[in-house]
Amino acid sequence: MAAIENHPWHIQWASNDLKNDEEVVLAAVKKCGLVLSCASRELQNKKQIVMAAIRNYPLAIEWASDKLKNDKEVVLAAVAKDGRALEDASLELQNDNEIVTTAVVTHKFNFWQGQNKDIFSPIGEQWMEKQVVKHGWVLNGASLRLRSNKQIVMAAIKNYPLAIQWVSAELKNDEE
């Protein structure tokens, strides 16, 4: 146990019994949230363990159980620290207004890099449209449909001129 407390990553070489020991895993994830990836499936389903991991490393939500990826409190805790955690939330919570708003505000520009820009359902797309108009920098994460909509793009550029870099190729060639 002392070895794992001092060097949390040593849990990867530990026995399955230790990887399933709540006290050992909790101590490890408190120091290094990424260690959740080594925990047993049973402990990846324990809210206390996952929340401790997320406090330390918000992207540890990737290794949480599907049940906890659908737990609003857990997902909100993760996206409040790193908006990219939204990618691992359940589809239902990826369309939750409070969670998406928190994710976008938390991570701003870096949130969308490397992400699937079509992550949102039509409800999320409507929300996204409002956010693009309100905060031009959000155009970076918008779908091609929104980045090709002249009215939306003009509103985004009006409040954030650098948003022009995310406009669709078709609109970039538009002389207006």
Side-chain angles (χ1 to χ4, degrees):
M1 170 96 169
I4 291 171
E5 282 183 14
N6 293 329
H7 306 284
W9 265 109
H10 287 184
I11 199 167
Q12 65 185 317
W13 298 292
S15 69
N16 288 338
D17 286 342
L18 281 179
K19 291 178 184 178
N20 197 41
D21 184 302
E22 197 166 337
E23 185 180 339
V24 170
V25 172
L26 183 59
V29 298
K30 281 182 176 179
K31 291 197 173 207
C32 179
L34 197 55
V35 170
L36 185 62
S37 66
C38 299
S40 69
R41 294 237 185 254
E42 182 181 330
L43 294 184
Q44 290 173 343
N45 193 40
K46 292 242 180 200
K47 192 170 183 173
Q48 177 188 10
I49 301 280
V50 172
M51 290 295 279
I54 286 171
R55 276 187 216 99
N56 182 280
Y57 180 66
L59 299 180
I61 194 169
E62 176 181 350
W63 297 285
S65 67
D66 289 344
K67 175 184 166 191
L68 292 178
K69 288 179 182 181
N70 196 41
D71 182 305
K72 188 169 181 171
E73 180 184 3
V74 171
V75 174
L76 199 53
V79 299
K81 289 185 157 269
D82 192 326
R84 295 174 298 171
L86 180 62
E87 184 177 357
D88 291 303
S90 69
L91 289 176
E92 178 184 338
L93 293 182
Q94 286 178 2
N95 288 297
D96 180 280
N97 190 37
E98 180 182 9
I99 288 175
V100 174
T101 301
T102 302
V104 171
V105 170
T106 300
H107 214 68
K108 292 192 178 182
F109 298 102
N110 297 328
F111 173 75
W112 303 106
Q113 294 174 358
Q115 301 281 328
N116 174 358
K117 293 184 180 187
D118 293 318
I119 195 171
F120 299 104
S121 71
I123 294 169
E125 181 97 352
Q126 291 167 2
W127 177 89
M128 187 70 158
E129 184 176 330
K130 290 176 188 172
Q131 296 308 307
V132 167
V133 170
K134 192 173 172 184
H135 308 287
W137 55 264
V138 177
L139 188 63
N140 183 20
S143 67
L144 181 58
R145 186 187 72 76
L146 290 181
R147 291 183 290 120
S148 298
N149 181 308
K150 191 171 185 174
Q151 183 179 353
I152 291 169
V153 165
M154 295 303 286
I157 292 170
K158 182 179 179 185
N159 71 45
Y160 186 73
L162 294 176
I164 192 138
Q165 65 188 311
W166 302 302
V167 173
S168 71
E170 177 187 328
L171 281 183
K172 280 186 180 176
N173 294 326
D174 188 314
E175 291 182 22
E176 197 180 325

